[in-house]
């Protein structure tokens, strides 16, 4: 079907399409005018999730912002907020709600406040503007004033519910912590009393740190014993070498600066004696004097060696006495610590128990103080932005929009009915319809010829033959 055929059908069946259009528009407008009006009022607020809590310092992280916003919108539509709105506006005493509640029948009677809350929940909507922290609470009502009143009341109920949900758990937890603090204080007092009784029973004046000091002292004494015994072993070894050695080999073990000088002088004198004997003889006065100097140096060296040996022997004796005394003191200290090891362990256990109780009590006191402060601070991260105002125009029904949609739908319906009518009552209206009906191509068609009378309008003349050469391939020849 071509465009020309379609337009021809619509023109021929124009009254069907126009009647369908008129009926659709009239029906839609009538329904729109008969429907009860609905007004929408919107109250807005800013819900700032980036501001940390003034007590805990916690704030909502970026990945949880959308989840937090969904939680807030669901809170607006919750039964808790709806019941608060019902109580604030005393809707249970409203005649309209009472009449509607009474029509439900006795078998469906229940709490009227809960029933009204379930009704008004259907007319409230809350959503955040995309990419912002502004939340809009919209309420739909039969009158503009009631829509604004309900939207503003919902905003107030939401703010109070948000504050109560933050403060009430903190207060309950603070009360619970107060009860726990009493038990923790009693436990700490019992642990301290047990520790004091154990100290008094065993005569322990110091604390665990002092006992640890005694242990450190024992370790220090052990180090001293080891050091002195090492020095004693070295001194005894040197003494044995001196006693078993002979001549200069043994004397070399006690070399000091004075001995080295004496030995150097002796070597010089011996060299001078050897040189003098070769030139002057053994009885020469110079040689005799050198021999006397040599004897004097040898006597001094022998005296120095004897003194060094005596000093080493005295040092060995002193180190033995010191080592024995330190060992005796170490053994006494060790016996004393071993005797009090059980007391030390019990003292450590009791003192550790007291420390644990003190830590638990301090943590509980800190948490209770934080909860008490949180329960007293009236802080929420939502503040009103704009109150709802009574709208001038109703949101539903939108008569202009309904009329526009009715025109579009009525036009579509009218064209559809016209085409259906044509399908069931087909007519030949164009050359294409004739060719479709006969299955043959048209050679020519008769069309009316018009001529314009002189000074007058165009008037019909005879019919003329209009050939269709393009379709048939024939050519009209004159004559």
């Amino acid at each position: 079907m071509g465009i020309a055929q379609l337009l021809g059908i619509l023109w021929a069946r124009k009254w069907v399409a126009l009647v369908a259009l008129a009926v659709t528009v009239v029906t839609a407008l009538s329904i729109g005018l008969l429907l009860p009006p609905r007004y929408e009022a919107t109250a807005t607020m800013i819900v700032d999730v980036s501001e940390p809590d003034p007590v805990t310092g916690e704030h909502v992280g970026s990945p949880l912002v959308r989840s937090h916003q969904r939680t807030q919108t669901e809170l607006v539509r919750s039964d808790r907020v709806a019941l608060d709105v019902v109580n604030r506006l005393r809707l249970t005493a409203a005649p309209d709600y009472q009449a509607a509640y009474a029509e439900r029948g006795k078998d469906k009677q229940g709490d009227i406040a809960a029933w009204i809350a379930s009704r008004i929940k259907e007319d409230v909507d809350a959503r955040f503007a995309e990419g912002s922290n502004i939340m809009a609470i919209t309420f739909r009502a039969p009158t503009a004033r009631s829509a604004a009143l309900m939207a503003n009341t919902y905003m107030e109920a939401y703010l109070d519910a948000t504050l109560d949900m933050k403060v009430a758990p903190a207060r309950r937890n603070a009360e619970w912590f107060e009860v726990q603090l009493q038990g923790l204080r009693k436990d700490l007092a019992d642990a301290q009393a047990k520790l004091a009784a154990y100290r008094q029973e065993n005569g322990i004046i110091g604390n665990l740190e002092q006992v640890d000091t005694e242990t450190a002292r024992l370790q220090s004494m052990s180090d001293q014993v080891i050091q002195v015994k090492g020095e004693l072993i070295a001194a005894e070894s040197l003494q044995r070498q001196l006693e078993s050695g002979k001549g200069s080999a043994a004397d070399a073990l006690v070399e000091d600066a004075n001995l080295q000088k004496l030995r150097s002088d002796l070597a010089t004198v011996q060299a001078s004696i050897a040189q003098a004997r070769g030139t002057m003889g053994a009885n020469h006065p110079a040689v005799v004097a050198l021999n006397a100097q040599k004897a004097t140096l040898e006597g001094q060296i022998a005296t120095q060696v004897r003194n060094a040996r005596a000093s080493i022997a005295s040092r060995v004796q002193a180190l033995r006495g010191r080592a024995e005394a330190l060992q005796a003191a170490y053994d006494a200290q060790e016996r004393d610590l071993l005797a009090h090891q059980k007391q030390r362990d019990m003292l450590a256990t009791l003192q550790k128990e007291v420390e644990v109780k003190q830590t638990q009590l301090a943590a509980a006191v800190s948490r209770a103080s934080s909860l008490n402060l949180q329960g007293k601070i009236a802080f929420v991260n939502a503040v009103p932005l704009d109150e709802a105002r009574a709208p001038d125009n109703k949101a539903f029904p939108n008569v202009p929009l309904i009329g526009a949609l009715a025109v579009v739908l009525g036009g579509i319906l009218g064209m559809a009915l016209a085409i259906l009518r044509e399908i069931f009552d087909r007519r030949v209206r164009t050359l294409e319809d004739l060719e479709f009906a006969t299955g043959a191509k048209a050679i020519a068609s008769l069309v009316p010829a018009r001529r314009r009378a002189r000074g007058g309008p165009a008037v019909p003349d005879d019919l003329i033959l209009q050939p269709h050469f393009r379709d048939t391939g024939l050519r009209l020849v004159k004559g």
Side-chain angles (χ1 to χ4, degrees), residues 41 115 128 155 206 212 216 464:
W115 178 78
F128 280 85
M155 181 172 64
D212 291 337
I464 64 173

Side-chain angles (χ1 to χ4, degrees), residues 365-386:
V365 169
S366 176
R367 182 57 178 163
S369 300
S370 177
L371 290 172
N372 283 325
L373 182 61
Q374 187 175 352
K376 294 177 181 179
I377 293 181
F379 168 81
V380 290
N381 57 355
V383 292
L385 182 61
D386 293 319

